[in-house]
Amino acid sequence: DTEVTQTPKHLVMGMTNKKSLKCEQHMGHRAMYWYKQKAKKPPELMFVYSYEKLSINESVPSRFSPECPNSSLLNLHLHALQPEDSALYLCASSQPGVTNEKLFFGSGTQLSVL
Amino acid sequence: SQKIEQNSEALNIQEGKTATLTCNYTNYSPAYLQWYRQDPGRGPVFLLLIRENEKEKRKERLKVTFDTTLKQSLFHITASQPADSATYLCALKRLGKLIFGQGTELSVKP
């Protein structure tokens, strides 16, 4: 199984809502990532978890709150988002420390904030 | 700061021709460079990795070169097909972060 599964595929939320994005992988990878991608732009790194610990936070606003409950799961909790937060949110995983550390991406959650 | 530039936002070629995409980087000497393919509404998919001590890497119709003096990687698709139409992203890792170029949108016309 070389899949990274993200749910939901689409999400529309108001600025006062609280929602969560979910990501799951069963490849035994111990690094997981959240990226944000706007249309016609490259993915931008938000957070990195390594061995279930947050190792990188790219100065992301606190209205985005990541969580890694175990080595297979990664969540992104959303609260009080702004319309400019509308984007494709991508989860990825990799096996840290290997010399060809490639990332496996999910299909993403297309988020619209109204 | 680290900068990655891909030569053009869009590239249109005829089926059967070779597509050549360019990735330039500055202010860093990466140990390796990666290329990904991204289709609309999907996540990027890993294609190839080339290390700093490798000049060239091939996989089926794909070829990647890496010139650490010029700080440039070239990505070639030979005998291109309409199914190769997608956005191609180069990426390199620095300080534990995989950073992407802005991508080149390739369109192969039949």
Side-chain angles (χ1 to χ4, degrees):
Chain A
D1 183 3
T2 58
E3 266 195 13
V4 175
T5 303
Q6 288 188 244
T7 55
K9 292 195 183 308
H10 302 275
L11 180 62
V12 179
M13 60 186 290
M15 290 190 284
T16 58
N17 292 158
K18 282 186 181 181
K19 297 285 184 183
S20 296
L21 310 184
K22 297 187 182 302
C23 175
E24 189 169 5
Q25 57 89 15
H26 295 288
M27 293 177 278
H29 290 168
R30 301 305 297 275
M32 295 187 78
Y33 311 77
W34 282 114
Y35 280 83
K36 173 183 176 179
Q37 187 175 27
K38 292 274 208 180
K40 305 287 187 185
K41 297 291 186 184
E44 291 181 358
L45 184 65
M46 300 175 71
F47 303 103
V48 180
Y49 274 83
S50 182
Y51 296 93
E52 296 88 68
K53 292 197 183 322
L54 183 65
S55 59
I56 295 175
N57 176 343
E58 288 287 272
S59 302
V60 179
S62 59
R63 57 186 184 269
F64 295 91
S65 176
E67 178 195 19
C68 190
N70 60 54
S71 60
S72 300
L73 294 174
L74 186 66
N75 298 322
L76 186 63
H77 302 298
L78 314 173
H79 174 54
L81 293 194
Q82 305 296 311
E84 59 264 29
D85 296 322
S86 299
L88 181 68
Y89 288 84
L90 294 163
C91 173
S93 71
S94 71
Q95 188 56 18
V98 299
T99 54
N100 60 341
E101 190 180 342
K102 60 189 180 186
L103 265 58
F104 291 78
F105 283 86
S107 290
T109 294
Q110 187 66 56
L111 174 67
S112 296
V113 182
L114 304 178
Chain B
S1 63
Q2 178 62 52
K3 200 170 179 183
I4 309 171
E5 286 188 348
Q6 295 189 237
N7 61 323
S8 59
E9 285 189 3
L11 182 63
N12 298 307
I13 64 167
Q14 206 67 32
E15 183 176 8
K17 301 291 187 186
T18 296
T20 298
L21 286 64
T22 304
C23 177
N24 295 294
Y25 58 93
T26 59
N27 298 334
Y28 186 53
S29 295
Y32 57 79
L33 189 143
Q34 302 182 21
W35 284 89
Y36 289 78
R37 168 183 172 144
Q38 187 173 23
D39 292 283
R42 307 297 297 256
V45 175
F46 173 81
L47 295 174
L48 281 168
L49 177 150
I50 186 164
R51 295 184 178 83
E52 60 180 340
N53 61 350
E54 296 175 317
K55 294 291 185 198
E56 180 180 299
K57 200 98 172 258
R58 291 176 185 260
K59 179 182 173 183
E60 298 171 355
R61 293 185 295 109
L62 308 180
K63 184 178 85 170
V64 175
T65 63
F66 195 11
D67 188 325
T68 55
T69 302
L70 292 177
K71 294 188 182 293
Q72 180 181 81
S73 176
L74 298 179
F75 177 82
H76 307 271
I77 305 175
T78 58
S80 60
Q81 304 166 0
D84 295 325
S85 298
T87 296
Y88 292 86
L89 300 150
C90 66
L92 56 83
K93 195 164 188 184
R94 185 174 188 219
L95 301 176
K97 309 171 193 178
L98 192 68
I99 302 167
F100 289 88
Q102 79 273 24
T104 296
E105 187 175 350
L106 174 67
S107 179
V108 181
K109 303 293 185 189

